[in-house]
Structures are given as C-alpha cells and as structure tokens.
Amino acid sequence: MNEQNSLSDEVAAWFNRRVPEGWFSAPVRTLVDKDEILVVGSLATGSDAGRAEHEAVATKFRADTKADRISIALAAEDFWQRKVSWAVEIGDVQMRFTTTSVPVMTRLRIDERLVLDTLVETGVARSRSHALAWCVRLVGQHQGDWIDRLRDAMADVERIRSEGPNV
C-alpha cells in the first residue's frame, strides 16, 4: 500500500470515529491531497427511487447535517491542516459540497496552449484554467487504471529505497 493510500485510510478512520451513527450506510471513504480532504459517504437508497429522488435525498442530507459537518470539518482542518469538503453518493448520484479549487502553476508550449484555446473558443471550456481541469478529468476517467498502476509502482520504488543502505 502506498503512502497516499495509508494516509487516506488514516483520515477515513478519523472521520468514521466522529461521524454520527446513522448518517451513512457504510463507512466513509476519503480522498486526500496536500490541500484538501474529501469525505465521501453513502446514503441508503430505495430500489425503485430514481435520479430525482436521489438528488432530493442528497440535498436534504446536506441541509440537515450542515452544522454538524461544519463542526467536524473545523476539528479536522485543525488536526490535519487541510481544508475539508464533503460528498454523498446515493444510487448513481454523487453530490459534492463546497470542494476546494486550488491554483496550479504550469508551463505549456504553444501547441499545448492551442489545445486549451480551442476548447475555450469552441465553448467546451470557459477559460484556459477550466480547459486544463477538463483535460485532467478526462485523463483521470479514461486512464484511471494506468494512473493507479503508476501510483503503485511509485510506492514500490519508495519501499525499495527505504530498504537500501543508510548513507
């Protein structure tokens, strides 16, 4: 297991100890990076409920739990030194609440900038920043298995380094 997965598991355990019983139908999952913790909980669903009903349940959960979620998030932000965002999943709906948007500096060559500009000019994206985020999401969706294998390979490299001689 790589360091990122270990941290995510540790953070998830922290939240699972604090989330009120009955909020979710399963333990929460977390996504963690250096800036943000995204807490994802599953809501129970009726087998015959449709997307509109799922969205209504998610919206009601968001309103009903707001004060408690803020309280838990403030404690987590103090402890983990990261912003906290929440999401719920119900059926085929995932609703994220107040996720953090973090600027990322990058250097692009002209042909790469032209790709972003084409996305903006054709209305696919509102700005170069939005276009770049769109591209990253697309790669993540279509190359997720490859990215997971890459992360696992990096974890193996870190493990092997740690087994090497101390200099």
Side-chain angles (χ1 to χ4, degrees), residues 15-16 18-28 39-44 57 61-73 86-90 97:
F15 276 93
N16 279 309
R18 286 158 180 84
V19 165
E21 192 170 325
W23 267 17
F24 302 117
S25 59
V28 300
V39 182
V40 183
S42 296
L43 300 176
V57 169
F61 173 86
R62 181 181 187 181
D64 291 349
T65 62
K66 183 176 181 178
D68 290 328
R69 285 185 297 104
I70 289 172
S71 177
I72 294 168
W86 295 84
V88 292
E89 295 176 332
I90 180 168
F97 313 148

Side-chain angles (χ1 to χ4, degrees), residues 6-22:
S6 176
L7 176 60
S8 190
D9 291 345
E10 186 178 338
V11 172
W14 188 96
F15 276 93
N16 279 309
R17 288 191 300 272
R18 286 158 180 84
V19 165
E21 192 170 325

